[in-house]
Amino acid sequence: MSIFSKIAEGEIPSYKCAENDEFYAFLDINPLVKGHTLVIPRREVDYIFDMEDDEIARFQVFAKKVAIAIKKAFPCIKVGQAVLGLEVPHAHIHLVPMQSEKDMIFSNEKLSLPADEMKSIADAIYSEFKKL
Ligand code: AMP
């Protein structure tokens, strides 16, 4: 089982930002900026473009809702979306609240935030998600 499957199952802790039966969103543990969130399918699939058309469409619609929640919780110019998947072999979309293009440079030094701050960021996003 991939580390992200274990996260979606609750076997490994995460800072939950959103969920439904099929998808799960949680804070990136080493965020580029506050509010950097990962969105995953619960189903284990490595490469996002191996997903069936219907599944990837639902995945993107779910990610859109998470992005709306992030923008409400963390006002920003736009929420950027990226797919890398070079580190963890479980499809995931990065959602990053951007104040500038530089916020999307993945080779930037990552933040390491205290647990209580991570929890309050995730709770703020989840609370906005539940209103949608
Ligand atoms: P990539 O596969 O290149 O898209 O990068 C994987 C991303 O997952 C990185 O930004 C990591 O910081 C993040 N990550 C890895 N393990 C965890 C974890 N246990 N909880 C949250 N984020 C993680």
Side-chain angles (χ1 to χ4, degrees):
M1 204 190 261
S2 76
I3 182 171
F4 284 178
S5 289
K6 288 181 182 168
I7 283 175
E9 292 287 316
E11 285 179 33
I12 291 178
S14 66
Y15 297 98
K16 178 169 76 178
C17 299
E19 68 177 337
N20 68 12
D21 288 350
E22 208 176 6
F23 307 110
Y24 185 76
F26 56 105
L27 292 184
D28 194 297
I29 202 73
N30 290 124
L32 284 165
V33 297
K34 290 179 188 181
H36 179 177
T37 299
L38 302 177
V39 189
I40 61 169
R42 293 183 186 278
R43 185 176 86 79
E44 203 161 289
V45 51
D46 173 0
Y47 185 43
I48 190 168
F49 298 123
D50 283 336
M51 293 170 83
E52 295 296 333
D53 290 357
D54 286 359
E55 186 182 22
I56 201 171
R58 292 191 301 276
F59 188 33
Q60 185 63 73
V61 170
F62 180 80
K64 173 186 168 180
K65 282 182 72 177
V66 180
I68 290 168
I70 291 171
K71 196 165 189 298
K72 288 192 166 155
F74 292 92
C76 54
I77 297 172
K78 288 185 175 175
V79 172
Q81 169 168 313
V83 173
L84 287 80
L86 296 174
E87 191 186 309
V88 177
H90 184 129
H92 51 281
I93 292 172
H94 292 259
L95 296 175
V96 181
M98 295 183 295
Q99 302 299 345
S100 89
E101 182 185 322
K102 293 193 178 77
D103 290 333
M104 289 295 286
I105 298 174
F106 279 77
S107 52
N108 281 349
E109 194 170 336
K110 308 296 193 302
L111 302 176
S112 182
L113 302 172
D116 58 342
E117 188 171 9
M118 291 289 274
K119 171 95 171 61
S120 70
I121 292 169
D123 287 350
I125 296 169
Y126 193 39
S127 144
E128 294 296 340
F129 177 81
K130 283 189 286 188
K131 292 184 206 160
L132 296 173

